[in-house]
Amino acid sequence: MSRTRTALLASLILLGGATTTGTAAAAVAPDASIAAIPCTVDYKVQNQWDTGFTAAVTVTNNSAAKSAWAVKWSYAGNQKVTQGWNAKISQSGTDVTAANETYNGTLATGGSVSFGFNASYSGTNALPTTFTLDGVTCNVDDGSGGGGGGGGTDPSGKVDNPYAGAKAYVNPEWSAKAAAETGGSRISSQPTGVWLDRIAAINGTSTSMGLRAHLDAALAQKGSNEEVVQLVVYDLPGRDCAALASNGELGPTEIDKYKTQFIDPIAAILADSKYASLRIVTTIEIDSLPNLVTNTGSRATATAACDTMLANGNYVKGVGYALAKLGAIPNVYNYIDAGHHGWLGWDDNFAPSATLFKQAATAEGATVDDVHGFITNTANYSALKENNFTINDTVNGTSVRQSKWVDWNRYVDELSYAQAFRTQLVSVGFNSGIGMLIDTSRNGWGGTARPTGPGATTSVDTYVDGGRYDRRIHVGNWCNQSGAGLGERPQAAPATGIDAYVWMKPPGESDGSSSAIANDEGKGFDRMCDPTYTGNARNGNSMSGALPNAPLSGHWFSAQFQQLMTNAYPPL
């Protein structure tokens, strides 16, 4: 079943500690075909408290293409919309209308659009039962492509979208640290990724839970519901060849140790029948394969370490081996890291990356069937959606692509990049049903610095710089960025081709230390984490934009956590 269908409708969506979460839409006969359904609406309550709630709505148009749209519904109670985003939302009594913004009015046949809002209520927050799109009543896609708790299944028995119809695991270790922060209880029940970033992380230490402990805790959280557990598999030989803060414990040639002491033990635990009822999502080796495209050969950004990893093939072999071993487990869903738009969005990176990913996905016994999808923006800061300018805009005859910020990139945000890269990946031979994840843990860019409209049209640079949400000095800056905020809360199927927005990088965990710190974790010091650093070729020789006084990567960074909450968008 295609991932562009709204296959999760009429299923219960529970992500991240919402006290009440539901999906509502009008019923349709089980034998109705998708072609006969004019539109589908997915309405989810993502978070709820005593006096209010946050909801996300996705509408899919199965009729003629539209250049403008309006969705309407009515409440049975006293719900009142107080704030909305990605739609112009108005309310008269119990009747609500959500109309397109200027930037998202186009709705193709088969296309989807998403928006969200905060609302107040008292008493019972009953879900709406009937929705219309431009006056036409929308019905539910019955998901007849398969069962498995929502989202359909493929021949392997895996569901189409593991996040559909499921809760996601709340890591109790991260949750406790977040809750201990002033104001942290507002987000401490959100699901975050569990990072397996060294061999010792598999069995755990005296101060940290091991993999089995996390899976056991997930089973306890699961109850009778579906539950997603998110793991980051991250210990390649010669890891992160273009950075130092996240260097790993294995040398460039230790591929056999990677296989036998890292991947094999993880696979053995995940294959335990005790955990067969969990949906286990793996993010495979962030920052590895993209480095082979952008930081090798004659490029100004090349490093000797990346040239070594390209020559010995151990990134490709390691990723292939991980995909093959983990993909053979029926309830494991592999998502390969696909960088972000400010890394692979340029013409000379975009297509070559997809080709390299295909090479890795067919190495060491792996096939494309071992790849359920890809994840972008992991542990990065790229804005989800830039609303104040588009790649097609011009200022005084000069294209936005020529601005210093965009610098000839084809994409200005993560959503457009992820959707386009998905198409590219399918074109090189990945399955048409692959889905994308976007890490939104730190890309909200809210707070007082968030622009409310486009920049001045004095020049293309004033236009872009004055309107962009992403306030980094340079799109290549990646370490503990000053001014960042929490992004969209974790949610399933938020847009076409997107399986979920996730918090794979736990907010509050450092990207790297601001100065050299001796450690036994194999982590070096990267000047990009030093706030006084004036940059290199990979960030246009710009200031690093990093926060001061940061601890080692993965360690708790209270000042960053507080900043992320202050600048959250949507706001907390």
Side-chain angles (χ1 to χ4, degrees), residues 8 10-18 21 146-153 157-170 191 215 217-230 274-281 330-333 492:
L8 59 91
S11 62
L12 187 66
I13 307 299
L14 289 169
L15 274 178
T21 311
T153 58
K158 290 181 169 67
V159 297
D160 181 69
N161 180 355
Y163 290 86
K167 298 187 297 181
Y169 173 59
V170 178
L215 296 176
L219 286 175
Q221 290 183 19
K222 177 182 183 298
S224 60
N225 300 299
E226 298 290 351
E227 175 105 354
V228 172
V229 179
Q230 302 174 112
K274 179 181 182 181
Y275 306 120
S277 65
L278 296 171
R279 299 177 183 179
I280 300 170
V281 165
N331 58 316
V332 170
Y333 300 80

Side-chain angles (χ1 to χ4, degrees), residues 93-150:
T94 60
D95 299 329
V96 180
T97 299
N100 64 276
E101 295 279 11
T102 56
Y103 55 82
N104 63 359
T106 300
L107 189 52
T109 302
S112 299
V113 66
S114 300
F115 58 90
F117 59 90
N118 293 326
S120 62
Y121 82 103
S122 62
T124 301
N125 183 20
L127 298 172
T129 57
T130 302
F131 300 85
T132 64
L133 174 62
D134 295 338
V136 177
T137 300
C138 298
N139 296 310
V140 176
D141 171 1
D142 66 350
S144 57

Side-chain angles (χ1 to χ4, degrees), residues 169-174 192-196 201-202 204 208-221 227 229-231 275 278:
Y169 173 59
V170 178
N171 179 349
E173 293 184 305
W174 175 84
T192 54
V194 174
W195 286 56
L196 303 174
I202 301 172
S208 63
M209 296 167 63
L211 178 55
R212 281 192 179 277
H214 281 295
L215 296 176
D216 290 341
L219 286 175
Q221 290 183 19
E227 175 105 354
V229 179
Q230 302 174 112
L231 306 177
Y275 306 120
L278 296 171

Side-chain angles (χ1 to χ4, degrees), residues 259-502:
K259 292 178 178 179
T260 60
Q261 296 186 34
F262 185 65
I263 295 300
D264 288 355
I266 291 173
I269 293 171
L270 298 187
D272 189 330
S273 60
K274 179 181 182 181
Y275 306 120
S277 65
L278 296 171
R279 299 177 183 179
I280 300 170
V281 165
T282 61
T283 290
I284 301 296
E285 295 295 353
I286 64 171
D287 294 348
S288 58
L289 299 177
N291 273 319
L292 299 186
V293 176
T294 63
N295 299 318
T296 55
S298 61
R299 298 198 182 208
T301 55
T303 71
C306 289
D307 282 334
T308 295
M309 299 318 300
L310 178 63
N312 69 25
N314 283 343
Y315 277 7
V316 168
K317 294 173 187 175
V319 170
Y321 188 81
L323 291 172
K325 291 287 289 190
L326 302 178
I329 303 169
N331 58 316
V332 170
Y333 300 80
N334 290 323
Y335 290 79
I336 301 176
D337 179 71
H340 53 84
H341 90 275
W343 191 351
L344 302 183
W346 282 272
D347 293 344
D348 52 354
N349 299 340
F350 192 77
S353 295
T355 300
L356 179 65
F357 295 167
K358 173 70 177 304
Q359 179 187 350
T362 51
E364 300 291 305
T367 74
V368 293
D369 291 333
D370 293 314
V371 180
H372 205 75
F374 291 78
I375 180 169
T376 78
N377 207 45
T378 307
N380 205 261
Y381 299 86
S382 295
L384 179 66
K385 181 72 175 75
E386 292 283 9
N387 295 326
N388 293 327
F389 62 96
T390 75
I391 200 67
N392 300 314
D393 291 350
T394 60
V395 177
N396 303 323
T398 303
S399 168
V400 156
R401 292 190 68 202
Q402 294 176 254
S403 66
K404 291 179 181 178
W405 174 254
V406 178
D407 190 28
W408 295 103
N409 201 315
R410 289 279 179 191
Y411 305 96
V412 300
D413 52 38
E414 282 308 292
L415 182 57
S416 62
Y417 164 73
Q419 291 173 323
F421 198 55
R422 179 185 177 278
T423 300
Q424 181 68 27
L425 291 160
V426 171
S427 76
V428 301
F430 284 98
N431 295 331
S432 60
I434 59 170
M436 307 295 288
L437 305 177
I438 301 176
D439 188 346
T440 59
S441 59
R442 304 184 301 180
N443 71 347
W445 294 104
T448 56
R450 184 177 177 87
T452 57
T457 56
T458 309
S459 69
V460 71
D461 287 321
T462 58
Y463 177 69
V464 171
D465 289 340
R468 60 182 169 95
Y469 299 141
D470 188 336
R471 306 312 298 170
R472 286 179 292 176
I473 298 169
H474 188 276
V475 73
N477 287 355
W478 55 267
C479 194
N480 300 326
Q481 290 299 284
S482 177
L486 301 167
E488 289 285 347
R489 314 311 178 245
Q491 56 184 285
T496 302
I498 310 299
D499 279 354
Y501 296 152
V502 298

